[in-house]
Every structure is written in C-alpha cells, then in structure tokens.
Amino acid sequence: MAIQWDSLIIEMVLLAGIIWFSIYIEHWAYQRSNRKEDEKSLKNILKFIEDDLEHRKRFVNESLQYKDYKPFLTDMWDAVITAGKQSLLDFKLFQIIQRAYSWMKYYNSELEWIKKNELDNKTLDGLLIDVDKSIEKALDKIHEFNNHQKL
C-alpha cells in the first residue's frame, strides 16, 4: 500500500489553515468583546465621574455661600483607581481629573489642620476657589473628550 504524499500534504495544509483561521477568528472575537466592554466601562466611568464632579461643584458653591466647611468625599475617584480602570482614560483626561481630586484631598487636609489650630477661614475660601477651578477644568475636558468620542 503506497502513501499518496501529495494528497496527504494537501490535507495537512488545509487542516493547518482551518486551525489557524479558527484560532484567528476566536482571538479577533475575544479582542472585539474586550474592546466593547472597555468602551462601555469608559463611558460609565466618565458618567460617574462627571456626575460626582457636578455634585462637588455644588458642594463648593454651598460651602462658599454658607461658610459651612466640610471635607470632600473622594470615594468615587478612589474606586476608579482601586479597580484599576484609570488606564481606560486618555492620559491628559486622567491627569486633569487626578488634579481635581488632588485639590479636594489637599483641601481636606488643610481643613483638618485649620480646625485643629482655629485659624482664619480665608485660606479655605481660596482653596475652595482653586478646587472649583480644577473641577471646572476636569468637567470641560470630560465634555471635550465625550464630544470627540461621538464623532
């Protein structure tokens, strides 16, 4: 019984092609689903952060108006960082959002120090204005990023 090498080689090449193509398709589908999941996560993160910053902006305005100084809660941003989802954000956008929350944390530490030492609250007013500016910059950048994504 003689082996038909030419038909065996053709069958093996076809089999190898089918296996390679099925692995390629599976990998492509996996990447596509990951990309869609990342896009959905990014959209949700931006919605949550935008909503959180809007609340913080109102908080700043109320604090300035009523001279009622309370610490900021930065749990929303901390949750994004803890989950490791900040890598989904554009680097410039991440930097600006990080600065806004850093200003809030700095305000919190100054608030604690001033309350312990019973000093003048003008420093807190200035810090709240700086926090407000950084929040506004972050919101503008988020809106710009969202508008760019829709194109």
Side-chain angles (χ1 to χ4, degrees):
M1 179 155 154
I3 299 177
Q4 295 179 347
W5 287 103
D6 53 344
S7 63
L8 183 64
I9 290 173
I10 291 172
E11 287 176 12
M12 295 303 247
V13 168
L14 286 173
L15 183 60
I18 291 169
I19 292 171
W20 181 86
F21 187 70
S22 65
I23 291 172
Y24 174 80
I25 292 294
E26 184 178 336
H27 181 69
W28 175 80
Y30 176 75
Q31 282 183 327
R32 185 170 180 230
S33 70
N34 275 351
R35 204 170 22 252
K36 286 194 180 271
E37 187 178 315
D38 286 350
E39 288 171 2
K40 184 179 176 184
S41 293
L42 176 61
K43 185 177 177 182
N44 287 337
I45 287 169
L46 288 176
K47 255 192 249 182
F48 291 137
I49 290 173
E50 182 177 16
D51 184 58
D52 188 53
L53 289 175
E54 290 288 345
H55 288 296
R56 301 295 162 243
K57 192 162 176 52
R58 284 194 293 270
F59 180 81
V60 167
N61 293 335
E62 289 171 4
S63 293
L64 286 170
Q65 182 180 359
Y66 300 116
K67 303 296 181 197
D68 182 24
Y69 304 107
K70 296 179 204 160
F72 285 100
L73 297 176
T74 59
D75 54 339
M76 190 63 199
W77 182 245
D78 295 339
V80 169
I81 297 296
T82 303
K85 296 294 186 176
Q86 76 276 9
S87 62
L88 297 175
L89 297 171
D90 177 66
F91 183 71
K92 288 283 187 190
L93 181 60
F94 169 76
Q95 273 186 318
I96 289 173
I97 293 171
Q98 177 63 33
R99 283 187 187 124
Y101 281 98
S102 292
W103 271 108
M104 289 180 219
K105 289 178 181 186
Y106 178 66
Y107 166 83
N108 287 348
S109 65
E110 286 293 314
L111 177 66
E112 187 177 317
W113 189 82
I114 285 176
K115 282 187 176 183
K116 284 181 183 176
N117 297 314
E118 298 180 16
L119 296 175
D120 187 20
N121 291 334
K122 288 180 183 178
T123 305
L124 292 177
D125 286 343
L127 281 173
L128 282 172
I129 291 169
D130 289 338
V131 169
D132 188 52
K133 287 177 187 176
S134 68
I135 289 172
E136 192 61 43
K137 271 176 107 172
L139 287 171
D140 289 344
K141 191 67 172 178
I142 289 171
H143 293 135
E144 180 184 313
F145 183 80
N146 283 335
N147 290 336
H148 180 69
Q149 292 291 78
K150 289 179 184 176
L151 296 178

